[in-house]
Amino acid sequence: MSYAYQIKTKREYNEAYKKSIEDPEAYWEEVAASFIWKKKWEKVLEWNFTAPDIKWFKEAKLNITENCLDRHIEANGDNPAIIWEPNNPDEKHRVITYRQLHKEVMQFANVLKHNGVQKGDRVCIYMGMVPELAVAVLACARIGAIHSVIFGGFSAQSIADRLQDAQASFIVTCDGSYRGNKVIPLKPVIDDALAQCDTVKKVIVLNRTHTPVSMIKGRDVWWEDEMKKAELSGNLQCNAEEMDAEDPLFILYTSGSTGKPKGVVHTCAGYMVYTAYSFVNVFQYTLGDVHFCTADIGWITGHSYILYGPLCAGATSLMFEGIPTWPDAGRFWDIVDKHQVNILYTAPTAIRSLMGFGISPIEGHQLTSLKVLGTVGEPINEEAWHWYNENIGKGRCPIVDTWWQTETGGILISNMAGITPAKPAHATLPLPGVQPVLVDEHGNEITGNNVNGNLCIKHPWPSILRTTYGNHERCRTNYFATYPNLYFTGDGCYRDNDGNYRITGRVDDVLNVSGHRIGTAEIENAINMHTGVIESAVVGYPHDIKGQGIYAYVVCSNIHGDETEMRGDITQTVTRIIGAIAKPDKIQLVNGLPKTRSGKIMRRVLRKIAEGETSNFGDTSTLLDPGIVEEIKNGKI
Ligand code: PRX
């Protein structure tokens, strides 16, 4: 399989970009011709950013799994679709060919149907990084059920909130998952979530860790038993449901600046076309290459660049269950050599954490199979970029710094490996079809180079979010209302003299901790649930490994035990309400927060204190009690 839409030279990039801006519909129509459709579109694009109302490939019919699986069977059925590397290197890895994956997906799709799942139903998937997670996701897509994968680190409360928001009636989970030397319980967390949620009719449980779990009669069934039943029924086929181009494919929850996560909705056709297109072009994928994206499928990176993008392209995608530092900090490099990985796509936080172990864990590894390196999720600092380039890429692998978001579905700004030049710490240039603009706070476009502004996108690309589940108005106000006729990313950005883009970080109250997005309001809500807490304010501060750390200022009414105990209780509360990923790194107990006379917390001051600044807090004259700033500063931890 070669890719008609693959850009192979800088000149081709320039031409493609020009064409995609001058005539976006013609450009994407040509790209879309490389996919399998049950019925072609009547119109390539219909859109307005006011509603917003965006329709790509209007009236087309398709099923994404026919593009991910069926189409590869004849020519490439025996090629590995997924190489699965378990957490424990002593356990045998698995190689799943396209033929096998196709069979398993159809079998599990039949299991879903037997258990009552119908087109349009929401299925929540809460599993570790096992191949069955990929099977579950694709089986949903096969029958037109809308999957909503929840990262294994979220708490019962977070799951319950998401289940309710999505009105999900089915769950697929595991008894537990392995991460490093830990066994993480999953089914017990689901049980806790279900105590507050009565929409769920069936829970399908995969046995992975042999952890004892309570299986509720009539509700809970074992994956293995159901798969056996499906096999014995003799019906091994499951036809791909005919989906409309704009039918929802999945919901993925992500944090914003309000306290409640939003269910970002992606639809079938545009998402398929753009993830495959961006995968092939950014990484310059060649058939046979082994692509290792280290993300978890619980995040958008895993959806787009472990599953849908690579599988649509007939690629071999490596899926890793474990963590980079167990059994030792050479685990990634062992995997690269063992499976002859050609493309490695990871997060700056992982690179920085591995840098901390020095180069000895790399020694003894060849790393000669590597051709392309990538980063995603947060700005990469130059030091980490050079370390990655020199020690992992040995100076011969292009590094793609890929900027995108849950809402964008796929990579929007990035260099293309070996085609367009890299620049350390810069995402560089937009992909064809992507029109970035920088605006000032009044929404005026900032033209020219060597300028800073808020990053917006002018014209829809195929995998732009369509709505936020159950609340379209929220989608409008969050992304399309700040600046008229523009999609607002929430990121600050610099454009250099050559037109390269460099993302400078969020401009809203959203933190990026270890490449994961988390809203400060969400953490504050969780802290405020503790009985001894009156109020709190959360800000980010620079953290050597995580990029940003979480700093919480908390006002307590009464402190049980000593302050350390109180901090422990607060941490525990956040873990229970959101999950361990939102645990504050620092908690400072304070007597009050710096508030203006109208009651607004002056976060700017709190951010400066958390960053270690001791003066230059700007204008604090509107504060109700300016003395509190000094007090907080003196108590900084
Ligand atoms: O701030 C940007 C940062 O991550 C945010 C999106 O987070 P999320 O939806 O969780 O998706 C992460 C994976 C795509 C963005 O608003 N971000 C993502 N990639 C980069 C980045 N910041 C700088 N450089 C990047 N390459």
Side-chain angles (χ1 to χ4, degrees):
M1 185 176 174
S2 68
Y3 312 102
Y5 49 78
Q6 186 160 9
I7 291 164
K8 299 202 182 76
T9 61
K10 176 76 174 34
R11 203 170 128 215
E12 281 180 21
Y13 164 78
N14 291 340
E15 284 166 6
Y17 191 78
K18 189 163 174 278
K19 178 164 183 200
S20 76
I21 303 307
E22 286 171 2
D23 194 349
E25 294 189 35
Y27 186 77
W28 289 110
E29 178 150 49
E30 215 176 295
V31 174
S34 294
F35 295 79
I36 307 281
W37 303 87
K38 287 178 186 286
K39 177 178 168 274
K40 287 270 160 71
W41 47 90
E42 273 162 23
K43 195 156 188 272
V44 178
L45 173 65
E46 207 171 84
W47 70 288
N48 76 73
F49 273 175
T50 318
D53 184 13
I54 303 152
K55 292 190 179 76
W56 278 96
F57 310 110
K58 204 175 164 199
E59 305 293 329
K61 308 286 176 204
L62 75 156
N63 188 293
I64 195 168
T65 68
E66 288 190 331
N67 285 275
C68 288
L69 301 169
D70 304 57
R71 74 173 304 183
H72 306 309
I73 301 299
E74 207 169 295
N76 298 317
D78 296 324
N79 283 7
I82 293 177
I83 298 175
W84 176 71
E85 176 64 27
N87 176 63
N88 188 334
D90 294 334
E91 186 180 339
K92 192 153 170 29
H93 71 272
R94 284 172 62 185
V95 177
I96 302 158
T97 64
Y98 272 94
R99 201 181 309 284
Q100 290 163 336
L101 187 60
H102 182 239
K103 179 175 171 287
E104 268 200 59
V105 167
M106 289 200 297
Q107 197 170 335
F108 192 65
N110 283 333
V111 167
L112 290 175
K113 281 195 193 165
H114 289 154
N115 280 281
V117 183
Q118 293 179 357
K119 181 175 180 179
D121 284 343
R122 275 78 57 217
V123 178
C124 157
I125 302 177
Y126 186 67
M127 301 172 86
M129 284 285 283
V130 286
E132 289 80 0
L133 165 55
V135 171
V137 165
L138 295 167
C140 287
R142 187 81 176 171
I143 63 169
I146 303 167
H147 58 78
S148 177
V149 184
I150 302 181
F151 174 63
F154 280 112
S155 69
Q157 181 64 52
S158 291
I159 296 168
D161 292 345
R162 287 160 172 75
L163 287 172
Q164 250 140 21
D165 190 80
Q167 291 290 299
S169 16
F170 301 91
I171 296 180
V172 186
T173 188
C174 300
D175 50 352
S177 71
Y178 294 120
R179 267 179 75 79
N181 58 6
K182 294 198 195 109
V183 179
I184 316 277
L186 295 177
K187 173 65 165 58
V189 182
I190 290 291
D191 289 337
D192 286 348
L194 290 185
Q196 4 172 348
C197 193
D198 51 16
T199 55
V200 172
K201 297 184 216 150
K202 275 279 160 71
V203 182
I204 302 176
V205 188
L206 176 85
N207 185 354
R208 168 68 184 133
T209 54
H210 305 281
T211 306
V213 292
S214 82
M215 297 290 284
I216 304 297
K217 207 177 277 168
R219 189 194 71 187
D220 301 351
V221 293
W222 288 108
W223 172 294
E224 294 79 359
D225 294 348
E226 295 301 299
M227 284 294 259
K228 227 173 262 153
K229 270 195 243 166
E231 183 141 33
L232 290 175
S233 78
N235 179 12
L236 299 179
Q237 289 300 312
C238 176
N239 290 338
E241 187 72 32
E242 182 171 290
M243 304 296 288
D244 187 85
E246 286 298 336
D247 276 339
L249 174 64
F250 65 86
I251 306 171
L252 188 58
Y253 283 87
T254 188
S255 295
S257 46
T258 61
K260 204 170 157 261
K262 302 173 283 237
V264 168
V265 175
H266 284 289
T267 55
C268 295
Y271 178 81
M272 169 183 78
V273 169
Y274 196 79
T275 51
Y277 173 88
S278 53
F279 169 72
V280 165
N281 281 309
V282 170
F283 300 104
Q284 285 294 306
Y285 188 80
T286 309
L287 203 63
D289 281 352
V290 176
H291 172 76
F292 177 17
C293 166
T294 71
D296 191 290
I297 292 176
W299 309 107
I300 191 69
T301 309
H303 282 59
S304 302
Y305 299 111
I306 296 179
L307 294 182
Y308 288 115
L311 296 180
C312 279
T316 298
S317 184
L318 195 148
M319 185 175 169
F320 175 42
E321 185 183 33
I323 55 172
T325 49
W326 190 83
D328 58 53
R331 188 71 167 110
F332 275 0
W333 324 130
D334 291 342
I335 295 174
V336 168
D337 278 355
K338 178 175 171 187
H339 298 293
Q340 292 293 290
V341 168
N342 305 109
I343 304 167
L344 175 67
Y345 187 34
T346 194
T349 190
I351 298 168
R352 287 192 298 264
S353 130
L354 293 172
M355 265 170 79
F357 291 88
I359 55 162
S360 61
I362 306 169
E363 281 161 4
H365 294 90
Q366 304 296 317
L367 306 184
T368 43
S369 57
L370 287 173
K371 296 201 287 199
V372 173
L373 302 177
T375 68
V376 59
E378 49 178 322
I380 181 162
N381 49 312
E382 292 206 21
E383 194 193 351
W385 193 97
H386 287 294
W387 187 89
Y388 197 31
N389 183 39
E390 281 152 32
N391 297 296
I392 309 306
K394 316 287 184 197
R396 54 172 187 80
C397 301
I399 299 179
V400 289
D401 178 348
T402 66
W403 174 85
W404 57 298
Q405 309 178 298
T406 305
E407 295 84 347
T408 70
I411 298 164
L412 294 196
I413 305 182
S414 172
N415 48 316
M416 290 184 180
I419 306 293
T420 59
K423 180 171 178 185
H426 289 66
T428 72
L429 299 174
L431 264 65
V434 177
Q435 302 186 40
V437 285
L438 301 184
V439 297
D440 65 18
E441 68 268 31
H442 307 296
N444 301 314
E445 184 169 344
I446 304 169
T447 53
N449 286 342
N450 191 17
V451 288
N452 273 292
N454 289 346
L455 178 62
C456 295
I457 316 284
K458 222 183 216 165
H459 184 277
W461 59 98
S463 62
I464 186 173
L465 88 160
R466 301 302 198 268
T467 189
T468 45
Y469 193 81
N471 193 344
H472 193 61
E473 176 58 12
R474 203 162 168 216
C475 172
R476 191 187 69 80
T477 48
N478 261 284
Y479 307 105
F480 299 94
T482 317
Y483 306 112
N485 295 320
L486 294 174
Y487 165 81
F488 177 42
T489 65
D491 280 331
C493 186
Y494 167 71
R495 185 166 51 221
D496 78 2
N497 277 322
D498 302 314
N500 290 308
Y501 290 88
R502 175 193 183 129
I503 310 301
T504 49
R506 301 286 305 190
V507 293
D508 52 9
D509 287 322
V510 171
L511 307 182
N512 192 327
V513 181
S514 300
H516 298 145
R517 238 160 93 170
I518 182 100
T520 54
E522 221 178 311
I523 308 173
E524 287 164 8
N525 285 351
I527 294 174
N528 298 350
M529 301 273 278
H530 189 284
T531 51
V533 170
I534 298 176
E535 61 176 340
S536 60
V538 167
V539 297
Y541 71 97
H543 188 288
D544 282 349
I545 291 176
K546 297 179 174 183
Q548 270 191 307
I550 301 174
Y551 197 116
Y553 299 89
V554 184
V555 184
C556 297
S557 57
N558 59 340
I559 296 181
H560 266 286
D562 61 10
E563 287 204 0
T564 315
E565 219 172 291
M566 185 69 194
R567 286 196 197 95
D569 288 354
I570 292 171
T571 305
Q572 187 61 23
T573 309
V574 175
T575 309
R576 281 201 77 86
I577 303 295
I578 307 176
I581 54 165
K583 267 197 311 208
D585 298 280
K586 293 185 180 179
I587 299 175
Q588 182 179 349
L589 304 181
V590 295
N591 289 318
L593 297 170
K595 286 191 183 168
T596 61
R597 288 189 189 87
S598 58
K600 242 185 119 193
I601 299 169
M602 221 183 242
R603 287 168 187 280
R604 167 172 58 83
V605 172
L606 293 176
R607 264 195 292 269
K608 291 217 154 154
I609 295 177
E611 283 163 13
E613 199 141 331
T614 52
S615 55
N616 298 325
F617 295 129
D619 181 12
T620 52
S621 62
T622 56
L623 282 180
L624 195 59
D625 172 14
I628 199 77
V629 174
E630 198 62 18
E631 198 183 307
I632 295 176
K633 189 183 86 185
N634 294 336
K636 182 184 179 302
I637 43 172

